[in-house]
Amino acid sequence: AVPLAIIGAGLSVRIFIISHDCGHGSFSSSRWVNSLLGFVSGVLTFTPFRHWTTEHATHHRTSGDLARRGSGDIWTMTVDEYIEAPRMRRLLYRLSRNPFILFVLAPLPIFLIYQRFTTRGYSWRDRLSVWFTNLGIAAIAWTMITQVGLWQYVVLQGTITFVSCSLGLWLFYVQHQHEAA
């Protein structure tokens, strides 16, 4: 079943792309359909739709603007900033951009832990989005565990989630790390 989970990871990336398009209001001409499909696809991809849409809109407003970096992007320093940074900051920067850390170690914590919470400054709708997404994920996980067993669920869902999140981060990284982005 693990090879099928790899195929499932590709499907998961596609489902996330549908969620992305719903967030832009471009998947359907109906706002309600975009919201509903965005929520469902967000649960399936471990991404709270409304909260992610808020962060993504900020990312679009600030992408490529060095003065407003830090929301929904990969940490980027200018050459001058890197040279002037203390040694520890340079080390952390190099580690954060290391392919092994970025595409192997970081994906699961980002999607399984970081996206389970909001921080101050987010609206009650964003917070509800996170809570309802977490409930949806828990309901699916409980249902699957009762049907196929804990170990089988963890192996299959873990493979799907790891591969799809790694692919997603790689696509995002490639798309945003050139001058024309």
Side-chain angles (χ1 to χ4, degrees), residues 12-110:
S12 183
V13 170
R14 180 62 186 126
I15 292 170
F16 184 85
I17 292 168
I18 290 170
S19 179
H20 172 271
D21 292 347
C22 289
H24 282 289
S26 61
F27 190 81
S28 169
S29 59
S30 167
R31 190 177 213 174
W32 184 85
V33 170
N34 282 321
S35 293
L36 178 63
L37 190 56
F39 172 76
V40 171
S41 59
V43 170
L44 295 174
T45 58
F46 293 76
T47 306
F49 175 69
R50 170 86 183 179
H51 182 260
W52 180 86
T53 299
T54 300
E55 286 188 338
H56 190 63
T58 302
H59 163 72
H60 274 284
R61 284 192 307 276
T62 61
S63 183
D65 184 347
L66 293 178
R68 298 190 304 165
R69 287 173 281 179
S71 181
D73 55 7
I74 293 173
W75 185 13
T76 303
M77 295 174 77
T78 65
V79 173
D80 289 340
E81 288 171 337
Y82 182 81
I83 290 169
E84 293 172 9
R87 184 175 299 207
M88 183 56 75
R89 187 168 174 91
R90 289 194 312 256
L91 174 64
L92 290 173
Y93 181 73
R94 292 177 63 100
L95 286 173
S96 75
R97 296 180 68 87
N98 178 287
F100 180 77
I101 292 173
L102 192 58
F103 305 124
V104 177
L105 297 181
L108 286 179
I110 289 171

Side-chain angles (χ1 to χ4, degrees), residues 13 16 103 111 162-173:
V13 170
F16 184 85
F103 305 124
F111 282 85
F162 172 74
V163 173
S164 64
C165 293
S166 294
L167 281 172
L169 276 177
W170 179 80
L171 287 168
F172 181 81
Y173 180 84

